[in-house]
Amino acid sequence: MTERTERKLAAILAADVAGYSRLISRNEEATIGALKGHRRELIDPTIRAHRGRIANTAGDSLLVEFASAVDAVRCAVDIQFGMAQRNTNVPEEQRIVFRMGINVGDVVVQGQDLLGDGVNVAARLEQIAEPGGINLSRTVRDQIQDKLSFTFDALGDQIVKNIPRPVEVSRVRWEGYTPASLSHSAVQPKSASRLTKRRVVLAVSVAAALALIVAGGLEWMMWHARSATQIDERPGIAVLPFTNLSDDKGQEYFSDGLTEDFITELSHFSQLKVIARNSTFRYRGQAVDIERVGKELGVRYVLEGSVRRVADQVRITGQLIEASTGGHIWAQHYDRSQKEVFAVQDEMTRTIVSLIVSNVQEVDFQKAVSKPTGSQTAYDLFLLGRSQMRAANPADYQRAVNSYERAIAVDPVFADAHAGLGNAYRIGSLQGWGTVPKAQLFSKADMELSQAVALNPRLAEAHGWLGIGRIFSREFGDGFAEVQKAYSLNPNSITVLETVAYGNLFMGRHQEAAKLYEEVLKLDPFPEATTLVNIGRVNLHLRKYDQALVMAEKAIAMAPKFSVSYLVQAASYVNQGRLPEARSAIAAHQALRPNFTMVTAYENNPFYNESDTDFYLSALRKAGIPEK
């Protein structure tokens, strides 16, 4: 007889320490000791006082069960209040600060542990909470609305990882609140540092001086380090560019295309952290040290291989290596006809994932390795088009369009080719490439991308590109729905993450965009200029002008001809009151795009909120962009 699963309704509080990896890397013993002190003197007694039970714990995180949403929220506020008091005399870089999320839902009981959707939602709410903040689901807020005196900030529907539906989120505010349940001894740490007033003043002065010296750069380094080193329990894998061993060096587009397809296929498995193409292709042509690659990209495994094409035959080799030891976990070579390339990809993907991940379901494999086309010729033309688009210039753009069109002519139901062509049209319209009017290119892009998702509704990247195109057409509702659909289909894809972050930027969801770009940097620790400048744009709208300027200048150093970087640089300067420098930035921009006007700026920045439009365009106008 099958044992019945035990379930119950519970209020779940999920909490973890913000920036725990950074704290541990600075001083492991002090951090662990301080956390134990907070647990012993404040957190555990407060949980008991509010009739809570610690269900799961993992070093820096807690999962606490309550019978009442009221008790859960009171407990969370009391702990956050207490931690704020205990951190008063602690240097900011040493403070232990919790993020919290609370949900009421059905949970599965396994011994002392709790599992299930109710727990998952609480954990996701915690992950998107601000340090020191508490996020609530709609269910929790409804249950405490008339029972507690706290106020709330409505954050609206949020798309959170691995939850198939939007979650309505509120943030608790407790200004002026003093919890009666906390004694002075519980609030003040027994081992708190006895800094003299002179030491405090000196520490603050030094910190302020350092902040002024390295304001922008330090913020970038801290964000990058936090994103790259934040604990991710999933095994990470980097797919290095497959070496082209064919006599024809022009066949590199084929070996590069296979590499990208492996990255895409592996990204469908949420159990894996898959590093983005941009960060792995920086090792192309190098005699790489696998251990160094593992450390630089933060992965446990590296896949490398080679491709040789002769006539209609292809040899593909692959080897999976453990980065820390350099030991080979698996190696194989395949001698097949070109029409069997997909079968080789499927077999290699299945082998790699089964070696790394133990609990992958068959349905996951089927989603990842679904055949894009039955025609090797169409596939070859598609890979060629994708390679040509990466050159990012008008001539190669036109070549890419031709390659995609030829692929579709060979196989009219090849969804990936329709998606590639639609995205090419979209980019070409924004860059002013092509020989047809911009509006016509936008229309053609929408038509091709709509065809792609009709042919393959699970093609996440196509949904994302379609959504961005519609946002640019000011069809905000339909556009953002497509962007959210892309995220629900594959939140582990770097292309999808960047597309969703970009969509959130234009929809005025700047905090959400910032969090998504943190996820991007985990998968792409060496991002391209486009990513850097979009992070700069998010910081600009968050009024973090120093950080925005750092991102723009890094993008300019990396790609001096990427014109958008100069606009973000100029807007940052304007908001810092540095008008001469802003005008120099605009001069550099106009040298690259002499026909760019305020009309173009409006067309290329489809902000949902009028206030965002006014903020950005007024800065460009002050910097010197001509009206017409």
Side-chain angles (χ1 to χ4, degrees):
M1 182 176 178
T2 303
E3 184 178 349
R4 185 176 179 180
T5 301
E6 182 182 351
R7 294 180 176 273
K8 64 180 176 180
L9 192 67
I12 302 298
L13 164 64
D16 85 342
V17 178
Y20 185 69
S21 300
R22 172 180 55 81
L23 293 167
I24 285 290
S25 67
R26 289 178 62 91
N27 192 326
E28 183 176 9
E29 290 186 6
T31 299
I32 293 173
L35 184 56
K36 286 182 177 177
H38 294 317
R39 285 282 307 273
R40 181 177 62 252
E41 298 163 16
L42 168 67
I43 297 169
D44 291 14
T46 303
I47 291 171
R48 289 194 295 270
H50 290 285
R51 298 177 292 279
R53 180 186 74 84
I54 297 176
N56 305 5
T57 181
D60 65 320
S61 64
L62 288 170
L63 195 72
V64 188
E65 173 194 2
F66 297 86
S68 159
V70 171
D71 285 341
V73 175
R74 278 179 173 158
C75 179
V77 173
D78 284 3
I79 290 173
Q80 294 289 42
F81 178 92
M83 288 302 301
Q85 298 300 307
R86 291 166 73 88
N87 279 325
T88 301
N89 291 328
V90 179
E92 186 172 354
E93 68 274 10
Q94 297 175 19
R95 292 176 182 173
I96 292 177
V97 180
F98 284 89
R99 296 178 299 208
M100 296 183 177
I102 304 174
N103 181 47
V104 171
D106 186 71
V107 298
V108 177
V109 181
Q110 286 194 358
Q112 295 298 306
D113 291 347
L114 298 177
L115 307 169
D117 194 56
V119 173
N120 294 339
V121 171
R124 298 309 182 197
L125 292 174
E126 168 263 303
Q127 290 172 355
I128 63 174
E130 296 177 347
I134 304 169
N135 281 351
L136 311 179
S137 67
R138 170 66 181 272
T139 310
V140 175
R141 179 168 177 175
D142 287 348
Q143 292 195 19
I144 69 171
Q145 186 78 49
D146 301 319
K147 301 179 180 69
L148 297 175
S149 59
F150 306 124
T151 57
F152 309 96
D153 292 331
L155 303 182
D157 287 347
Q158 303 289 317
I159 302 297
V160 295
K161 192 170 183 179
N162 294 335
I163 302 298
R165 61 192 180 282
V167 179
E168 187 175 337
V169 183
S170 297
R171 178 171 53 212
V172 182
R173 302 183 68 90
W174 62 86
E175 288 84 349
Y177 171 73
T178 302
S181 61
L182 296 184
S183 66
H184 182 74
S185 62
V187 170
Q188 294 298 328
K190 296 177 182 177
S191 58
S193 301
R194 307 296 186 188
L195 289 177
T196 64
K197 183 176 181 180
R198 182 176 178 182
R199 283 179 176 174
V200 171
V201 171
L202 178 61
V204 170
S205 300
V206 171
L210 287 172
L212 288 172
I213 294 170
V214 295
L218 179 60
E219 180 71 19
W220 156 247
M221 289 186 289
M222 291 291 287
W223 185 11
H224 193 287
R226 181 171 68 248
S227 299
T229 62
Q230 188 173 359
I231 291 176
D232 189 333
E233 295 180 354
R234 298 176 301 168
I237 183 169
V239 183
L240 298 183
F242 276 41
T243 304
N244 172 34
L245 296 180
S246 305
D247 293 335
D248 179 5
K249 297 306 177 185
Q251 292 293 318
E252 277 197 352
Y253 77 88
F254 186 77
S255 55
D256 288 354
L258 288 181
T259 307
E260 292 183 55
D261 281 353
F262 276 119
I263 292 172
T264 300
E265 288 183 2
L266 291 170
S267 77
H268 284 89
F269 298 96
S270 60
Q271 300 92 335
L272 292 174
K273 181 182 81 171
V274 185
I275 299 300
R277 174 203 189 276
N278 181 65
S279 287
T280 61
F281 268 63
R282 67 195 297 268
Y283 299 100
R284 186 221 285 268
Q286 299 181 23
V288 297
D289 179 335
I290 296 297
E291 184 177 358
R292 178 173 68 88
V293 171
K295 288 179 179 178
E296 289 180 351
L297 299 181
V299 295
R300 298 184 212 171
Y301 304 100
V302 173
L303 174 66
E304 62 177 9
S306 63
V307 181
R308 181 189 295 275
R309 293 176 81 182
V310 179
D312 65 343
Q313 296 297 304
V314 61
R315 165 172 281 201
I316 301 175
T317 66
Q319 47 192 4
L320 183 66
I321 304 168
E322 187 170 32
S324 61
T325 65
H328 285 63
I329 299 171
W330 166 86
Q332 184 64 276
H333 73 267
Y334 304 84
D335 291 307
R336 304 285 175 84
S337 66
Q338 286 195 40
K339 64 183 180 181
E340 296 178 285
V341 166
F342 297 139
V344 173
Q345 288 178 303
D346 295 357
E347 186 175 337
M348 287 180 66
T349 300
R350 185 181 293 273
T351 301
I352 292 162
V353 175
S354 63
L355 286 168
I356 298 175
V357 183
S358 61
N359 61 339
V360 175
Q361 301 296 317
E362 179 63 25
V363 65
D364 294 323
F365 281 112
Q366 296 308 317
K367 289 177 185 176
V369 302
S370 57
K371 303 294 185 295
T373 176
S375 167
Q376 182 60 42
T377 300
Y379 179 64
D380 198 70
L381 288 165
F382 164 74
L383 294 184
L384 182 59
R386 191 165 65 182
S387 174
Q388 290 162 334
M389 270 306 296
R390 291 195 177 279
N393 62 66
D396 282 296
Y397 156 75
Q398 193 57 57
R399 294 187 186 99
V401 167
N402 292 339
S403 296
Y404 286 134
E405 288 176 340
R406 289 166 61 199
I408 292 169
V410 173
D411 182 359
V413 294
F414 186 3
D416 296 70
H418 285 284
L421 180 58
N423 193 45
Y425 285 146
R426 183 181 67 86
I427 293 172
S429 66
L430 293 174
Q431 294 295 327
W433 297 338
T435 58
V436 299
K438 181 175 181 177
Q440 188 176 338
L441 276 182
F442 250 105
S443 177
K444 293 174 73 173
D446 189 277
M447 180 179 69
E448 292 295 337
L449 290 165
S450 296
Q451 178 75 348
V453 299
L455 290 168
N456 182 1
R458 298 199 58 80
L459 196 55
E461 291 81 1
H463 282 285
W465 294 331
L466 178 61
I468 293 298
R470 290 186 177 172
I471 287 173
F472 268 79
S473 297
R474 267 68 179 184
E475 299 172 29
F476 294 108
D478 288 347
F480 196 55
E482 290 291 341
V483 167
Q484 290 176 307
K485 177 67 173 178
Y487 189 81
S488 70
L489 287 170
N490 192 1
N492 205 31
S493 161
I494 188 70
T495 301
V496 170
L497 277 174
E498 292 211 62
T499 302
V500 178
Y502 196 49
N504 274 276
L505 164 65
F506 287 121
M507 294 300 293
R509 298 158 60 95
H510 304 129
Q511 292 286 359
E512 292 83 352
K515 290 182 175 68
L516 285 162
Y517 276 119
E518 288 193 10
E519 294 298 314
V520 166
L521 292 178
K522 292 177 190 176
L523 299 182
D524 192 5
F526 300 100
E528 294 179 314
T530 51
T531 302
L532 293 176
V533 80
N534 283 332
I535 293 173
R537 297 180 75 172
V538 172
N539 278 317
L540 182 68
H541 284 274
L542 290 172
R543 301 332 191 237
K544 296 180 179 180
Y545 305 126
D546 289 342
Q547 296 93 310
L549 190 57
V550 169
M551 295 295 101
E553 290 175 345
K554 284 182 175 291
I556 290 168
M558 185 179 296
K561 293 185 178 181
F562 184 50
S563 61
V564 179
S565 307
Y566 298 97
L567 297 179
V568 177
Q569 183 186 43
S572 302
Y573 279 141
V574 166
N575 283 286
Q576 291 178 325
R578 301 162 66 180
L579 200 56
E581 291 148 296
R583 287 175 175 157
S584 295
I586 290 302
H589 176 270
Q590 295 303 103
L592 293 170
R593 297 194 65 180
N595 297 323
F596 192 93
T597 66
M598 290 302 300
V599 174
T600 319
Y602 174 78
E603 292 174 347
N604 287 1
N605 292 279
F607 293 109
Y608 177 69
N609 296 320
E610 188 175 342
S611 58
D612 287 337
T613 302
D614 292 343
F615 168 73
Y616 187 58
L617 296 190
S618 65
L620 297 186
R621 184 174 284 110
K622 290 176 185 176
I625 294 289
E627 291 296 328
K628 296 181 181 179

